[in-house]
Amino acid sequence: MSSTTNPPTHHTSTIGAIGAPSRRNTELALLVFAVVIPVFAYANVGLAIDGKVPAGLLAYGLGLALLAGVAHLVVRKFAPYADPLLLPLATLLNGLGLVAIWRLDQSKLLQQIHVAGGKATNQLLYTAMGIALFVAVLILLKDHRTLQRYTYISMATALVLLLLPLVPGLGADVYGAKIWISVGSFTIQPGEFAKIVLAVFFAGYLMVKRDALALASRRFMGMYLPRGRDLGPILVVWAISILILVFETDLGTSLLFFGMFVIMLYVATERTSWIVFGLLMSAVGAVGVASFEPHIQVRVQAWLDPMHEYVLSRTPGVTGVHSDQLQQALWAFGSGGTLGTGWGQGHSELIRFAANSDFIFATFGEELGLAGVMAILLVYGLIAERGIRTALAARDPFGKLLAVGLSGGFALQVFVVAGGVMGLIPLTGMTMPFLAYGGSSVIANWALIGILIRISDTARRPAPAPAANPDAEMTQVVRPS
Amino acid sequence: MNKPLRRIAIFCGILVMALLIRDNWLQYVQADSLRTNTNNRRVAIERYATPRGDIIVDGNPITGSVEAKHGDFKYKRTYKNGAMWAPVTGYSSQAFGSTQLESIDDGILSGTDDRLFFRNTLDMITGKQKQGGNVVTTLNQAAQTAAFNGLKAQGGKGAVVALEPSTGKILALASYPSYDPSSFAGNSTDVDSKNWTKLQKSNDPADPMLNRALRETYPPGSTFKVVTAAAALENGLYTSADTATNSPLPWVMPGTTTPLKNEGNIPCKDATLRAALQYSCNSVFGKIGADLGNAKMLAEAKKFGFDSPQDTPVRAYPSVFSDKMNASQTALSSIGQFNTAATPLQMAMVASAVANDGKLMKPYMVDKLQSSNLDTVSQTQPEQLSQPLSSKNAQILQDMMKTVVEQGTGTNAKINGITVGGKTGTAQHGVANSANPYAWFISFAKLPDGSSPVAVAVVIEDNSANRDDISGGGLAAPIAKSVMQAVIQSKK
């Protein structure tokens, strides 16, 4: 991978890369684009809707530039060898998300149903909190291996986070999915944070157990079957995923956690059999739960025949669980066509509830068209691939596992949400990272980017001094292939 | 660990690729069908985003557009004197779709018609808002007002159609009771939907939304005798208006023992065609029908336009003259009873063909379509539909119909200084003829220079208050007269 994306003389190789460029100026240059593009988009929305440049343009532009600038300076100081793409890409998505949220704030329909109105200001605040967490991660987490110490604390934390929405009085049922908790006037999606904490736990756990899982197995029909007792962890994670599915009725969260675990298990053990097991177990779990859980059944029916679901949602007497949202989202995408209607000129407010959160991708689809959506998907793809590249470059197994878990989980989340909104897979209750309105999502994903940047800095940082034994060095070189 | 890592990288790439492929499917392959799906509200939003073009009568718009106060549909249709013009315009409602001219010429009115493409492209380049074009009708404001007010004064159900015989232009097209399409042009459930529901036939037995001028057929009664007379002349059964016909009295219908009765004691025995039409002799015209036979009567009726729909361009239902009838049924049909049924438009076409020396012009109500800057996009040319009777026979029939107005049952339609020809009709219907009969009058006017500016058909149904009074001459003829006068006045 590395040799195809970078000149072979640096990066992936480890200690030999003395004097590798830090790429901080590349990052700065890219950041300028990542700030300027959303600023233009913002102006564009104002011009399209009100015919004038929006009054908040300066404040918005300065706010975004300030946040990006702070993040960049902190990276420059505390993680000078970090991957130069991650921060600009995340900033670009976050900026565009802010624009789309502000654009939907202008919709009278969404204002009437209290979905939009002043949400962009909130989101800017959440972004600031996200950047603050990002900065805190970089300053406080000098070495990602420190996290290894918290393996079992992470497990406990993740379990608590996942179970919080089920606590009576705390959990909030939002359109059937119980993945929210409300604290005062805030609603928090703990699953977004659990995603990171779980990756830490899985990485720490698998690093210790990988040998046992990989080697102590029997060969059967060309596959290595794990021993019964080694199946324990995967069964526990599977059971928790099923519980999430049953009690929080959210297919996306369940799929994300289980998928992330299977990816990390596969990387840790290098055994394909785990993937086969993982797929089988997810299939069994999903089909099994879907056979008795009406909320999931409705989602699957809506996915198979969104038009019928649209009709049902308009039929007096059978509304309630039925929603026209998916069909509305598909119409939004279709109406956008190749080039889109342009900022502010679409009608994605017809999606109504969650138009600026779960379904915000449809707004991009309608207003930026196929071209814009493909660009955004590629940006997401780049983030995931840069994360995996960080895993490749990382020198320690914990770093590798954590990086691949976070980026794999990120990619899965994008796939599950975008695929759901575009009707490729059944709809779930998760949100597009960085684009969607919601504090939990933005804050957690900035922390995720912070950890990836920390790992990539460690991976690319030149060794403080040449190693004593040149042979030992060579054994660590990752061969470009 | 790097080998599985690379595979995971490829796996993530595949996830993104799957999304890209799906997106191309959605936004490229399926884009058009999703965008134009009728349930996709964007179609309607786009449709109501600009003011609609207008429908124009005598140079003045009878429609308009106002900006709606609520909702996401920006412009709403309004109608000036909507009830009077509803049979022409139809309606354009945000909630209930559109009909008639509003529907047929929707492309022009909403500005999406391909013929406006050049104009729209130009507007797009110059940054002007897209505007709908106009539909210029052939209607005559004064004639329509006379027709509608005449029906309204009667208070019963009825319809009036007036044509310009030489071109087929529709000058008046009125139906009563009517409805105001403005009342449900919007999209609100508490105003527009309620008004709509109230107008439905299930809630209003008078069925105000029925376009009686084009979409209701009535037994034409004695007015059909004009068609029968034309058939007699055309087929050479009789060649003159003033020679005695072979008409015994009473005349027993062939194959039956029932004599065909006349209304009262009128001189029908061996009457001339002129006298038979003047007194409206059932026995004479019934026998003509039986003598000519079903086939010849049907052929003549078809030449007048029976049995086929007329697209004006608003479609008028076909009028009926049946096939495969025996002699007595043909006899009854030939006096406008039995299965015979005609729309008011059809009977106006009969009067019009006679007035236009035998040439039947295709009736039409759209003179031209204009783009928003009043350039003509398309112009309707008058078109001859058929020639139901020769010029000579037409003049004979015109003369007979003049006698009806001057000395017969249609004297109520007389206009000073103008030659008027007409025919009354009182059609029986219902079980054992128990329901109130329909009062018909068809007529044409001839100016001193020999030209004929207008032919009219009027039908009044079910005026239960005046059961004894129902007769074409009494109820329908005065309305026909005022419509003809209005046309003549406006031509001056």
Side-chain angles (χ1 to χ4, degrees), chain B residues 84-345:
Chain B
M84 181 169 98
W85 291 113
V88 177
T89 57
Y91 55 79
S92 171
S93 163
Q94 292 173 350
F96 304 104
S98 51
T99 56
Q100 304 203 150
L101 280 190
E102 290 277 27
S103 163
I104 291 165
D105 288 319
D106 183 63
I108 292 288
L109 292 166
S110 61
T112 54
D113 193 285
D114 286 343
R115 288 171 287 184
L116 300 176
F117 178 76
F118 179 70
R119 185 80 228 159
N120 288 343
T121 313
L122 209 64
D123 283 353
M124 201 169 74
I125 292 166
T126 54
K128 271 190 359 194
Q129 202 187 25
K130 185 184 82 184
Q131 272 190 305
N134 294 330
V135 174
V136 180
T137 67
T138 58
L139 280 108
N140 179 309
Q141 169 86 38
Q144 180 78 2
T145 310
F148 186 73
N149 290 346
L151 290 170
K152 199 174 175 180
Q154 286 294 345
K157 295 185 241 174
V160 176
V161 175
L163 300 172
E164 184 176 77
S166 59
T167 56
K169 283 180 178 172
I170 295 178
L171 302 173
L173 193 76
S175 174
Y176 193 87
S178 188
Y179 63 99
D180 182 1
S182 300
S183 67
F184 55 85
N187 194 31
S188 97
T189 42
D190 44 326
V191 179
D192 301 290
S193 296
K194 272 187 191 156
N195 288 338
W196 167 268
T197 313
K198 253 187 272 173
L199 289 168
Q200 299 310 299
K201 193 179 183 182
S202 49
N203 299 315
D204 185 347
D207 198 7
M209 289 183 70
L210 175 66
N211 187 346
R212 294 182 168 77
L214 303 178
R215 305 262 166 104
E216 180 73 300
T217 56
Y218 303 93
S222 303
T223 54
F224 192 79
K225 287 169 185 164
V226 174
V227 176
T228 310
L233 291 166
E234 280 295 292
N235 288 293
L237 186 65
Y238 302 110
T239 50
S240 133
D242 296 307
T243 48
T245 59
N246 175 17
S247 307
L249 193 75
W251 177 70
V252 177
M253 290 187 281
T256 69
T257 53
T258 323
L260 187 56
K261 280 183 191 152
N262 290 318
E263 282 293 319
N265 188 18
I266 45 178
C268 291
K269 187 175 180 350
D270 295 335
T272 61
L273 278 180
R274 184 190 303 277
L277 198 68
Q278 181 185 345
Y279 295 107
S280 201
C281 293
N282 291 342
S283 55
V284 175
F285 288 101
K287 181 163 181 296
I288 289 174
D291 289 351
L292 288 173
N294 193 182
K296 283 179 179 167
M297 280 304 297
L298 179 61
E300 185 65 17
K302 278 188 171 169
K303 280 190 201 166
F304 275 105
F306 276 80
D307 293 314
S308 51
Q310 299 295 335
D311 292 331
T312 70
V314 177
R315 174 158 292 196
Y317 287 170
S319 300
V320 182
F321 188 87
S322 290
D323 197 0
K324 299 194 179 88
M325 294 185 292
N326 63 31
S328 66
Q329 288 166 340
T330 308
L332 282 171
S333 293
S334 301
I335 59 165
Q337 300 286 348
F338 194 59
N339 275 346
T340 310
T343 60
L345 174 73

Side-chain angles (χ1 to χ4, degrees), chain A residues 307 365-366 373 385 400 422, chain B residues 2 9 22-23 27 39 42:
Chain A
M307 193 62 212
E366 181 166 8
V373 168
E385 298 295 352
K400 279 180 185 295
M422 295 197 292
Chain B
N2 284 350
R22 173 67 184 182
D23 193 32
Q27 298 204 266
N39 285 311
R42 288 165 188 80

